Amino acid sequence: MGREAPPENGNNGRADGAAAISFKRVRKTFPRGEGRIEALKGISIEIRKGRVTGLVGPDGAGKTTLMRLSVCLLEPDEGALTVMGMDAAEDPLAIQSAVRYMPQQFGLYEDLSVQENLDLYADLQGVLPADRKERYAELTRMTRLGEFTDRLAGRLSGGMKQKLGLACTLVRPPELLILDEPTVGVDPVSRRELWNIVSRLVEEEGMSVLLSTAYLDEAEKCDEVILLHEGEVLGQGPPGDFTREQKGRAYWVKPPAEKKRDIQWRLSRRDGVVDAVIQGDGVRVVMGHDDGPDKEDLLPEENDLDFEPVDARFEDSYVALLQSRQEANAKDMAAEATPGKDDGAGRKTGESPGDSPGDSPIDVENVRRRFGDFYAVKDVSFSVGHGEVFGLLGANGAGKTTTFRMLCGLLPASGGKLRVAGLDLRRAAAKARARIGYMSQKFSLYGNLSVVENLNFFSSAYNLKGKRRQDRIEWALEGFDLKDRADAASGLLPLGYKQRLALACALMHEPEILFLDEPTSGVDPMARREFWDVINALSGSGVTVLVTTHFMEEAEYCDRLAIMAAGEILALGAPAEIKARAGKSEDEPAASMEEAFIALIESSSAARD
Amino acid sequence: MLHRIIALTIKEILSLLKDKKSRFTIVVPPIVQLLVFGYAATYDLNDVPFAVYDEDRSVASRDLAAGFTGSPHFTLTHRITHQAEIADLIDRKAVLLAIHIGPDFSRDLLTGGGAQLQVIVDGRNSNTAMIALNYVREIVNRFNQAWLVKTGGREPPARLNIRAWYNANLESRWYIVPGIAGLLTLVVAMLVTALSVAREREQGTFDQLLVTPLRPVEILVGKALPGFMIGMAEATLIILIAVFWFEVPLRGSLAALYIGLFLFLMSGIGVGLMISSLSVTQQQGLLGAFLFLVPAVILSGFTTPIANMPAIVQKLTLLNPMRYFMVVLRGVFLEKAPWSLMISQYWPMALIGLATLTAAAWLFRHRIN
Amino acid sequence: MKQQSAPGGFRRLRGLIRKEFYQIVRDPSAIAIAFLMPVGLLILFGYGVSLDAKHVPIAIVVETPDAATADLTRSFERTEYFEPVRMADMSAAVDALTYHRVDAIVHLRGNFARRLHEEKGAPIGVVINGVDANTARLISGYMEGVWLNWLGDRARSEGTQLLTPVDLRQRIWFNAEVRSRNFLVPGLIAVIMTLIGALLTAMVMAREWERGTMEALLVTPATMGEIILGKLIPYFILGMGGMALSVAMALWVFDVPLRGSLWMLTGTSALFLLAALGMGLLISIVAKNQFIAGQIAIVVTFLPAFLLSGFLFDIGSMPVVVQYITHIVAARYFVAILQSVFLAGDIGSVILPNAAALVLLAAVFLGLSRKKARKRLE
């Protein structure tokens, strides 16, 4: 008879620091085509009790495999693995009753209400009816789902779904909690709440937590971080240990707003620079050496710019560690993806939009969309200029995707005017659609077709023929580094590669206007950098880009952006303008886009209440 | 336009046939089912078990019983000696029928007729019962004729001279096997099409298609062509098996058959694609496929004649493409039917096909989600 | 498995069942499958499927009309089995037969009246469209009936008796009026319930895999047995509801007699439903995705139940190999049971072996499901 109830929090055995999870030379392979690929190459790790341990690494590093092994959903090929002192090979059910696991896409029953989902998991986890009331009260207080208990889970926003998933996972407090990318696709407000919950669990209930994340600022909040890469452990330790190595290598440059992206592009291409990303109003540069930046060498034409030293952060060491591993094709990708652009310079900034709306590539006027008696989008207006990168930001369910679908002609608007390249795509001739490229939120290529077969199909669907078609397919394989995986089934690619392929398919026909719906959701930081390099380069060559994102730091890459909530635009303008508006006073703009976003959302929901 | 359609068709075929389970499901079961059903689906009775209760035990009664034991349709399994045994044997389905020859049988026969032969049949399946009784009647008639000739009695003033055209030996296999060919063709068409749009909608790839310059007509053709190709190929194989394995005669022209097959596939694929574009989920698609397939089979005249149905149901069958194809199949295989009969089957199928295909193409873009 | 604790297991099971019920209630398609489908299909087929040919259109060609031919023609007109149309000559009649306007031709030659008095008698020429062999055989049986009646009438009017050495007295037990509906409706119930059982469950496991909910279930302490039972019980209850509805319709809409007992009907239906649901579950577990589960369900449920169950075609007359194959079709046993329970009564010697076979099939399907569904992702 095993444990029906895990020992509750009273026992302080965790304080001794014994391992919550221990892997000893664990190897795991999966069949792929003829052979097998190694997902974990004999790794040994110990994850300590009473801590938050973060698991980071690029796609396909083996993070999910490691987690699934820990909850006995998979069996290792070799090696020994114990969880909470129990042997995974011998006692899987005992482990499963002591450990809670929240998969990447948590299995909420969307046709059940919040309460019914909680009841189900309470039954499954063996929570006695007498204990439930108290537990539910605690969970709903923690997740602030109290007022939604009767709502169907399918009707919740993405952030609320994740919180409900977490609540279901926690109906009986476990000793060890394993979360697979709990914050993917979740807006900043909900992300913050999720993190508060996790830290409370560790501090107050003494739970051990293992979570994987693609957000490196989250990794920084962990007690300990494990960096995985291609099935091997690259490093393990407190995030501070990682950053220490990068100390004194990070700098911040603040160019004029309109040159921000250009400077970032050029810096990222210089020798000795490990990383250059847009951060706030400036560019953050990480050098590969301790000698400090040589202005003459890095930015010969912009002598007036200062390199201001800043504190190192976990992301710096992550990029540094991985870049030494992966031969950096990232930089080449953007260059190759946009032929005719040898250097990142010369990006045309969009003519100021709004002056002559008829000419704008994208023009939205008072657009509404109703589903039943619910308005998903109400009276939204904006326009996007040529070559502009326009961002749509918003919490889940804010109406971004609906707006996108209307623009692409997939959904009729209930009212208002939509113009894309001067046409209403819902009514325009099929040919007009050749002028746009569309990449949808979730991976939507043919999963059982190979990479090449998908490219073949989409190139023909976009009217490419003969030599040009061959050239473009070749371009996609080369430019997006898909050559080695050309014959792999696209559904089995790691997420980052799927996104590359999806982008390649959307760009086959060199569209004038590109729609990207959360293109970087769940993608690891390295892949995200590559992605934005490509977008930058495209916009430099005159392509108009409309993009939605959850990553607030990515919002800084946009020329202008609109923040949406509950179907309305709360703020519209350049990133700096928005931060200024969201600030506490005229002189004190919001410190970051994330803060601006949270402030705007909270003030709007306060206004609604 | 053409190269776009070709690309779409290639993609469809790849996504259908790349998966091992899916490839197997589309190709193997129809062929296996033709073989199994071809043998199974026959109204002819063979070796029906029967019991004899002969109280007379005379030469005449043994002669009569010999008529039964000699027939390929019947097998004598029980000789019984008590009336009560009959009920027991029939109740537990040990025999389908019992013949009871009374003690006065030969006496009555010799004294001028009216000798009684009682036959008790299990009517639980009344169709089987009626068929068995027909065989019994044939045997008794033959005995009567022979008896009259032997005893020099006068034959009846008129006799029936029944001939069956097109299927002289009334083999039900000749009737059923072409029907199965139609049935399986329809099943394959539904397998290929009924879930295809719904699957793309669920996986989000349909949106991706709709934002390309592909026109609804092109998507329609691209989705329909693999169904045509697979359907045509399998139908051809099935027809070959019908002709060379089951030895059903093929008397009419192949052209007539293939025109019919083309139009039938068109209507079947049209219905499949329409169901598929109406459904949001694959589950709905599957349900829709069943809701069409089951009535389409039962109300096609495949196993039970349309003429036996009530008038209102007969009207309903006019919407069923399979009903027309059944006539074409049997017309070509057995009857060598004239073109005008064929044409009156062709145009309704073409109409159904055009209507459903148009509806499907319209629904691609206009389905309210 | 050693972790199993009865109260915990019971609570988990109850939770799973409750969840499934909520889902059923929220998504009306399952209810539609369980209740609307049997009603709709039974009405359609109960009326639509009939083997009783009546009012068969036939052509009558009389080359020289006279009293004798008029007499015979009247005999054809009097019976409800035929709908005779007089035609001027054979070529018109053959035309009508070719174009399916008539199913048979009765041809009386010019010398019919004269040859009635000859030694060998006068021939009545009959041509039947033999394509549909079953109907053709029925028609020829009806023809003989009309002919014998006519002979009898003729003999009586001449004051003699028709000489038939052996007089066939037939008795059809259990279905004396030979209503084909009486055996078709119970058979249809078996076919329809096969469809419903498979449809209800074929998608459910595959759906959980596709939506990612299975992964969440797998890491809970629920055992695979509980997960499967949690699926089975709600759909079983739903299926029994559909079954009850079908039986009620058989009794009160189609007037099929119920000679056996209700409890026997209920018990055997439960067994059958277990087998049908088990097959659906197995499909769902093996396929793991709805597309393939759907394809398999289409292929393996309807046609085998329709053609191999003995509902229309006599299993005993099939080749031995095919007879073996029919043993894996659950509907086969249920058809036999239903036809007996409805028309004959609770006949142990028919019901017991068939019920035992159903138990075995249900055990095999459910056992395989249990075995194939592992609590691992691979």
Side-chain angles (χ1 to χ4, degrees), chain C residues 36 59 69 86 263 359:
Chain C
L36 292 183
T69 61
R86 284 165 188 267
W263 75 264
V359 170

Side-chain angles (χ1 to χ4, degrees), chain A residues 405 408-410 426 430 433-434 438 442 444-446 448-450 453 457-458 460-465, chain B residues 3-4 7-8 11 14-15 18 200 202-205 207-215 365-366 369:
Chain A
R405 291 172 54 82
C408 297
L410 290 170
R426 190 141 182 96
R433 287 196 293 272
Y438 170 73
K442 59 176 199 179
S444 53
L445 300 178
Y446 297 96
N448 57 356
L449 264 58
S450 73
E453 285 160 354
F457 170 65
F458 280 102
S460 297
Y462 278 111
N463 268 333
L464 304 183
K465 287 177 227 184
Chain B
H3 78 280
R4 286 197 299 258
L8 199 56
K11 180 223 89 183
L14 281 175
S15 56
K18 256 200 141 172
E200 290 217 29
E202 260 189 3
Q203 296 180 344
T205 49
D207 281 355
Q208 204 71 50
L209 272 190
L210 289 179
V211 298
T212 65
L214 286 167
R215 267 171 272 164
R365 216 163 248 290
H366 292 87
N369 359 19

Side-chain angles (χ1 to χ4, degrees), chain A residues 70-241:
Chain A
S70 309
V71 283
C72 310
L73 279 175
L74 296 172
E75 278 172 290
D77 296 353
E78 285 167 27
L81 122 79
T82 58
V83 179
M84 301 313 283
M86 291 172 276
D87 191 326
E90 281 168 18
D91 228 350
L93 275 179
I95 290 178
Q96 285 171 353
S97 83
V99 178
R100 295 297 171 275
Y101 167 60
M102 183 162 121
Q104 214 167 66
Q105 293 198 315
F106 184 76
L108 285 176
Y109 290 93
E110 306 220 326
D111 36 11
L112 261 59
S113 72
V114 170
Q115 186 61 51
E116 286 158 359
N117 268 296
L118 282 171
D119 284 338
L120 169 64
Y121 283 95
D123 283 334
L124 291 178
Q125 300 288 6
V127 180
L128 296 173
D131 303 338
R132 286 188 193 183
K133 207 172 160 205
E134 198 186 334
R135 189 68 195 155
Y136 287 167
E138 199 181 334
L139 286 170
T140 47
R141 186 167 38 82
M142 200 157 75
T143 53
R144 299 208 269 154
L145 285 168
E147 51 183 311
F148 304 110
T149 43
D150 292 332
R151 190 179 289 191
L152 293 188
R155 299 256 172 84
L156 295 175
S157 72
M160 290 206 281
K161 276 184 195 162
Q162 285 305 88
K163 284 193 287 180
L164 175 57
L166 190 58
C168 288
T169 323
L170 292 170
V171 277
R172 210 178 60 175
E175 297 167 75
L176 170 63
L177 178 63
I178 300 182
L179 307 168
D180 195 357
E181 308 225 352
T183 52
V184 161
V186 171
D187 60 83
V189 182
S190 310
R191 251 177 74 189
R192 197 169 278 194
E193 287 174 353
L194 279 167
W195 264 95
N196 289 339
I197 298 171
V198 170
S199 16
R200 263 205 41 209
L201 290 170
V202 176
E203 281 159 26
E204 293 174 19
E205 307 196 13
M207 214 173 271
S208 316
V209 176
L210 170 66
L211 58 84
S212 65
T213 179
Y215 294 86
L216 295 181
D217 56 326
E218 291 183 350
E220 215 142 359
K221 296 185 194 162
C222 299
D223 298 317
E224 205 166 74
V225 177
I226 297 173
L227 175 55
L228 274 185
H229 175 59
E230 293 185 349
E232 289 173 90
V233 178
L234 285 194
Q236 180 177 9
D241 290 1

Side-chain angles (χ1 to χ4, degrees), chain B residues 3-68:
Chain B
H3 78 280
R4 286 197 299 258
I5 291 176
I6 293 173
L8 199 56
T9 311
I10 292 174
K11 180 223 89 183
E12 286 293 327
I13 292 181
L14 281 175
S15 56
L16 266 176
L17 299 185
K18 256 200 141 172
D19 185 285
K20 217 189 297 167
K21 286 180 200 160
S22 174
R23 191 166 54 211
F24 180 86
T25 317
I26 290 174
V27 177
V28 179
I31 307 298
V32 173
Q33 290 191 334
L34 175 68
L35 292 175
V36 173
F37 298 159
Y39 283 111
T42 166
Y43 286 115
D44 306 335
L45 301 180
N46 302 308
D47 301 326
V48 170
F50 78 106
V52 172
Y53 177 27
D54 185 356
E55 291 188 89
D56 190 39
R57 293 167 189 271
S58 63
V59 179
S61 73
R62 268 194 293 275
D63 260 9
L64 182 59
F68 286 87

Side-chain angles (χ1 to χ4, degrees), chain A residues 482-508:
Chain A
L482 291 164
K483 199 128 213 176
D484 297 339
R485 301 178 192 254
D487 295 319
S490 58
L492 299 174
L493 292 175
L495 186 63
Y497 282 91
K498 278 185 185 167
Q499 299 292 84
R500 283 184 197 183
L501 176 60
L503 185 60
C505 287
L507 289 173
M508 279 317 269

Side-chain angles (χ1 to χ4, degrees), chain C residues 328-351:
Chain C
I328 56 172
V329 179
R332 160 199 174 137
Y333 307 107
F334 197 42
V335 166
I337 291 174
L338 281 183
Q339 286 181 351
S340 280
V341 172
F342 270 104
L343 300 178
D346 294 347
I347 295 162
S349 49
V350 174
I351 291 168

Side-chain angles (χ1 to χ4, degrees), chain C residues 107 127-128 148 150 154 200 212 224 238 244 257 293 324 326 359:
Chain C
H107 183 203
V127 176
I128 304 178
L148 282 172
W150 176 72
R154 222 182 115 79
L200 283 177
M224 205 63 214
L238 210 60
Y324 282 128
T326 64
V359 170

